[in-house]
């Protein structure tokens, strides 16, 4: 499990871009396409802005999201909106290669099932099978949540689905499940800020409660990278 503590946020962004580009190019070379699930939040945005400047085979990249707030795609809180403005609108990627979570209906549970069906169709996998994305980017909240898997919530227990409904108080979201995240070929946590230290101490402890610190549950079958800035990783 590679763990790197970078001197500051800018250095972390540069390192993340380097790793992501390597894995995009490798996947395209080996299998003719690359699948990546994006994270929301402030840390990934400059990563996406840098990726927009790269010269890659965008027509062979397929974009997913690890979670999404249940808001319209033009809402300021939308992860999709942020990624489109920072990256996807700047490159020549076919719209068919962008696979956002549906969040404009009245029923998050129904939309979760619809999105799961679309993912299964894309990967041509049946019920009971879990597809593997090439790259999954994740952030972590100061409560130890990742994607929209929040402490002590029902979403943490879902094992028979790819997509489920995540809850933060009264706010509903769609999220990848723990088994789907853990099937990733390369899962990369991007963590910045001193406010993350208490949760990180628990996540890297040998005995903490995974229901209370959900990021502990992410133990993928492929690579697992943790990238920290100095503020976040100082006590590890």
């Amino acid at each position: 499990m590679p763990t790197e503590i970078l001197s500051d946020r800018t250095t972390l962004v540069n390192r993340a871009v380097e790793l992501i580009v390597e894995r995009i190019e490798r996947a395209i070379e080996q299998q003719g396409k690359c699948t990546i699930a994006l994270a929301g939040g402030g840390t990934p945005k400059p990563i996406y802005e840098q990726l927009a400047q790269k010269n890659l085979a965008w027509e062979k990249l397929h974009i997913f999201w690890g979670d999404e707030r249940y808001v319209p795609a033009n809402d300021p809180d939308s992860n999709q909106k942020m990624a489109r403005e920072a990256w996807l609108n700047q490159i020549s990627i076919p719209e068919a290669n962008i696979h956002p979570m549906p969040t404009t209906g009245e029923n998050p549970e129904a939309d979760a099932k619809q999105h799961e069906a679309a993912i299964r169709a894309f990967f041509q996998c049946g019920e009971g099978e879990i597809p593997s994305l090439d790259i999954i980017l994740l952030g972590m909240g100061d409560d130890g949540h990742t994607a929209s898997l929040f402490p002590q919530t029902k979403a943490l227990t879902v094992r028979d689905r790819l997509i489920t409904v995540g809850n933060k108080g009264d706010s509903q979201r769609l999220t990848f499940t723990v088994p789907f995240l853990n099937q990733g070929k390369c899962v990369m946590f991007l963590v910045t800020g001193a406010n993350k230290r208490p949760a990180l101490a628990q996540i890297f402890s040998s005995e903490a409660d995974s229901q209370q610190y959900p990021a502990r549950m992410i133990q993928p079958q492929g690579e697992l990278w943790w990238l920290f800035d100095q503020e976040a990783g100082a006590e590890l």
Side-chain angles (χ1 to χ4, degrees), residues 25-225:
E25 292 180 331
R26 183 193 307 162
I28 290 172
E29 181 181 347
Q30 292 177 348
Q31 61 203 27
K33 69 176 186 231
C34 177
T35 54
I36 181 170
L38 306 186
T43 302
K45 185 177 180 182
I47 295 171
Y48 302 157
E49 289 170 344
Q50 277 203 34
L51 287 169
Q53 306 304 314
K54 301 295 181 182
N55 183 22
L56 298 174
W58 300 123
E59 74 281 1
K60 297 178 180 177
L61 185 68
H62 284 265
I63 304 285
F64 298 84
W65 278 264
D67 74 315
E68 183 60 273
R69 294 175 178 89
Y70 203 69
V71 296
N74 61 356
D75 190 283
D77 287 336
S78 166
N79 292 338
Q80 179 190 171
K81 175 181 170 68
M82 184 271 279
R84 283 184 181 272
E85 291 178 350
W87 179 14
L88 304 178
N89 291 351
Q90 322 301 325
I91 61 173
S92 55
I93 185 171
E95 185 62 31
N97 290 20
I98 302 173
H99 309 270
M101 290 179 160
T103 57
T104 55
E106 300 293 322
N107 189 330
E109 190 64 46
D111 281 339
K113 290 179 179 177
Q114 174 193 329
H115 192 52
E116 174 159 341
I119 288 173
R120 290 192 178 282
F122 175 84
F123 284 99
Q124 299 181 314
C125 70
E127 291 294 327
E129 293 181 275
I130 304 177
S132 296
L133 280 94
D134 295 304
I135 306 164
I136 299 176
L137 304 181
L138 292 173
M140 191 202 79
D142 57 12
D143 60 355
H145 86 268
T146 191
S148 281
L149 300 168
F150 290 94
Q152 307 291 350
T153 56
K154 182 182 174 184
L156 299 180
T157 67
V158 177
R159 294 293 180 270
D160 58 348
R161 298 277 304 278
L162 305 181
I163 309 295
T164 192
V165 178
N167 293 282
K168 182 182 183 184
D170 295 333
S171 167
Q172 291 187 303
R173 297 136 182 253
L174 301 188
T175 185
F176 282 13
T177 59
V178 171
F180 193 19
L181 290 171
N182 280 339
Q183 200 66 19
K185 296 177 186 176
C186 175
V187 176
M188 194 179 304
F189 277 94
L190 311 164
V191 186
T192 59
N195 60 318
K196 308 294 175 63
R197 289 184 199 172
L200 286 170
Q202 297 296 317
I203 288 160
F204 281 83
S205 162
S206 58
E207 297 184 345
D209 179 4
S210 296
Q211 291 288 322
Q212 191 61 42
Y213 297 95
R216 286 176 61 90
M217 295 185 177
I218 309 308
Q219 301 289 337
Q221 53 114 23
E223 297 178 276
L224 175 60
W225 287 79

